Amino acid sequence: MAAVTETLDTVQSVTQSGYKWGFETTIEMDFAPKGLNEDIIRLISSRKEEPEWMLEWRLKAYAAWLKMEEPQWARVDHPPIDYQDLHYYAAPKKKAGPKSLEEVDPELLKMFEKLGIPLKERALLAGVDPDTVENTQIAVDAVFDSVSVATTFQATLRKSGVIFCPISEAIREHPDLVKQYIGSVVPVADNFFAALNSAVFTDGSFVYIPKGVRCPMELSTYFRINARNTGQFERTLIIAEAGSQVSYLEGCTAPQRDENQLHAAVVELVAMDDARIKYSTVQNWYPGDANGKGGIYNFVTKRGACRGDRSKISWTQVETGSAITWKYPSCVLLGEDSVGEFYSVAVTNNHQQADTGTKMIHVGKGSRSTIISKGISAGHSNNTYRGLVRMLPSATNARNFTQCDSLLIGDQCGAHTVPYIESRNPTAKVEHEATTSKIADDQLFYCRQRGLSEEDAVGLIVNGFCKDVLKELPMEFAVEAQKLLAVSLEGSVG
Amino acid sequence: MNTGATGFLQRYEGLAGRLPGDSALRSAAAAAFKTSGLPGGTQQRRIEAWKYTSLRPVAEADFQPDSAPRHEAETVLAELLLLDAPRVVFADGTLRTDLSVMPPAGFACFADQPDFGTLSWPDREPMVALNTMLARDGAALHVPAGFDAGVVQLVSIATGDGDFHPRHSIRLAKGATLTIVEISAGKGRYLLNTVAEIHVAEGAYLTHIRLQDEAATAFHVSTTYADVATGGTYDSFTLNLGARLSRTEVRVQLSGSGAMVHLNAAQILAGSQHADFTTVVGHAAPGCSSRQTVKNVLAGRSRGVFQGKIEVARIAQKTDGYQMNQALLLSPYAEIDCKPELEIFADDVKCSHGATVGELDAEQMFYLRSRGIPDTEARSILVRAFLAEALDAVADETIRNRLETAVEQWWERQKA
């Protein structure tokens, strides 16, 4: 019963405030003018002190983007986005290159406090010597709007040869690695939003795990969209060399406001022989108010390439925020016996729209993939699973198992499943299951009979429905995720 | 150029005013077809509903509707093993009373009484637009209230390099019962592009069995629209064996509470055949149920496609929808593409789908081989067992036997 008690505690600890993280930190900002053109891209590139090849790469992406059309196939509906009405660069004003954490703006530290970053991490961010906390588990690379302003644990990581830094720093400090891998998983002209990101990305994380190294701690980035009208375009690149292992955590909250904000990130993962990458996300951006006003547009391209034999990439995501989610973390399974996993919980309430899923492209012999997707719709929301499993002729003895379950709460929402299954190898096996149901009356009755309020009962049942996915999350995230589920579904019953 | 969409449009213009029925409807369809073109043909935009099937070979073919040597129809018909029941025979798209055994009542042909119906979407479906533009003949069957009309065979024979666009209409009044056995076969490089409209009224029961065994060089496109009222049942089974390229599209609307639909199918393909089975089931009333079992057996370089969508409207509470899709790949060059889709707007529903893709079970093969059964035969036994589950859905034993014979014949042809 421990799990149940824990769930109840979390449900109770959540206030009735709806979106409680809707505050805005005022820090002086440095804006580029609104709009997008080659000059803005040159400006971003020069502000980031990038080498010439990077600028060319960006311009190539921009040229490709100009020729592309915004995709219309997703089941999402929004007013047209004016790409010229956005700031593409905003940097907090501060002294050059934060070498020590004392230089971090106190406002920023307060913000982390409000975000509920664990105490020990806050202490670290406040300037505790990293060497005295060697046994701590998490390294934080805080992305505050467009420039990473605080990076901890560098010393410990450096000792094991791990590179964990803002991508702009990596472009300067490790150009060969970046040049080799950036755009190799998600090409510049892959899709409309990826092309846009490639042209204007301002920050994100870079991770390099050398051969045979098991990353000594979980790597974590807290993203936060802060300035008004700045789209945020992160670029994350994680490279795991042969035999290495890394677990990367990404969590998001955003200030509450009226205007819709565009977010188009690109995440690229590369796993070589026997390497393992676990990428976990808790996404809780501002979803808009109860009438569907405001909220973040989240158009993300995430893709991992299992290049090496026996390599493994695992995506786990809990998506509760954003007005619109357009996100398909995918795996290209090139290596023999490589493994791809996708565990997802997507919750939509009020007028949220989520169109999310995965792609598993099997190329290598004996490659395996598992897809577990749980969609929960409430209010007037629409929640779509869209996935592709493709077995190429070379994928001898490949396997896939897919399970998509949808839960509907209320009769004004929609739950949709759009899986694509393509096989060109007879020895490959694909199994797909999908179900749609509602919270059964007898389940609710059972909980209510034992004195739970209807809302608590729903929280409990939903957590049970999502258990298969939540158990894949690292400890730190599992607790936050359970809270988020309850917050997201507040007011959806009764 | 008189191939592709242009060729069809020129023909339509040449025939202007001489075709039966509502000419305004035809010209609207022609306008829609002019805009859309043939899926995968000359048009620029990709249509999601035609993601896996391109009609480019149809666009490139040069159809000559008037050159068909008609005397072969009898030969093809003789090979068909028809059931001992009334049959309505169309040869090259035209009703042949001399080859038919007419049902006692309730029959009219499209040429005499054109009925385009109310359910089709020429503006959204290019092949339906093409049919609406060029349809000359077809069957109109009407079963009066409470009447059991037994079995009626609807036979299409094509014998040349033409294109034919039959337009059928089947209406069952309250409490009526009918079994339609639709068989299509032929010789040549023709295109058969059928549109059928089906109305099943309150408590009526329509069984619709289809055997598509077209010439290996032919194109077969068939679009069926069905509306099922309160307590009615549309029970269908489709067996696709022939044609170089086929597309079978069925759109069913369950419009009255407690209505029911079965959309079962099996596709058995070899060589470079391509067969696409696409269905949309709309649950538009409470308490309806839909059942689907679709099986693909793919040998050679063939490609099987299954797209199945279940839509549940907000009003359709207590919906029970089930869909199973299985594919067996018998060759390293075969391909299966499937897209089982759920679109649900009601909360008190039970909807599920399952899909599996793979080859014959190695253990089962071993079991049979270890008992001295040769490889080819063991495979044939397992494939037949795989298909049996789909064929079992056909309740009428005589009809099921007829379908099993068709599968046997297909199997023999592969050996030869």
Side-chain angles (χ1 to χ4, degrees), chain A residues 297-316:
Chain A
Y297 291 179
N298 188 21
F299 301 117
V300 182
T301 307
K302 289 184 168 178
R303 194 175 302 154
C306 284
R307 299 224 170 120
D309 295 347
R310 298 166 303 279
S311 56
K312 177 177 173 181
I313 288 178
S314 176
W315 299 98
T316 307

Side-chain angles (χ1 to χ4, degrees), chain B residues 245-378:
Chain B
L245 192 163
S246 76
R247 158 97 167 190
T248 312
E249 184 168 332
V250 187
R251 293 176 169 269
V252 182
Q253 182 85 344
L254 299 170
S255 59
S257 60
M260 190 159 167
V261 63
H262 292 271
L263 283 179
N264 300 315
Q267 306 196 119
I268 309 168
L269 310 174
S272 55
Q273 281 182 287
H274 177 119
D276 176 339
F277 188 67
T278 293
T279 64
V280 179
V281 176
H283 285 260
C288 295
S289 58
S290 58
R291 289 278 175 280
Q292 262 188 292
T293 302
V294 177
K295 302 225 177 192
N296 274 283
V297 174
L298 307 167
R301 295 183 173 275
S302 66
R303 186 171 176 199
V305 177
F306 169 64
Q307 305 184 99
K309 187 173 185 181
I310 300 177
E311 299 172 344
V312 179
R314 195 137 279 158
I315 188 177
Q317 297 290 358
K318 305 280 178 201
T319 284
D320 183 357
Y322 173 77
Q323 192 183 69
M324 186 43 144
N325 164 233
Q326 292 177 308
L328 205 50
L329 298 180
L330 298 179
S331 131
Y333 309 107
E335 174 173 352
I336 176 77
D337 299 303
C338 38
K339 183 184 169 197
E341 195 176 343
L342 296 172
E343 185 181 283
I344 295 167
F345 288 103
D347 62 340
D348 192 5
V349 299
K350 219 171 70 188
C351 280
S352 59
H353 64 223
T356 63
V357 174
E359 61 180 342
L360 289 172
D361 190 277
E363 258 178 58
Q364 292 172 357
M365 275 299 283
F366 179 78
Y367 180 91
L368 293 173
R369 294 299 309 281
S370 67
R371 272 147 188 84
I373 297 167
D375 183 77
T376 332
E377 204 173 316

Side-chain angles (χ1 to χ4, degrees), chain A residues 75 415 417 419-422 432 436, chain B residues 48 52 338 340 342-344 355:
Chain A
R75 178 178 276 283
T417 316
Y420 295 78
I421 302 160
E422 303 172 4
H432 173 101
T436 301
Chain B
E48 178 64 21
Y52 293 115
C338 38
L342 296 172
E343 185 181 283
I344 295 167

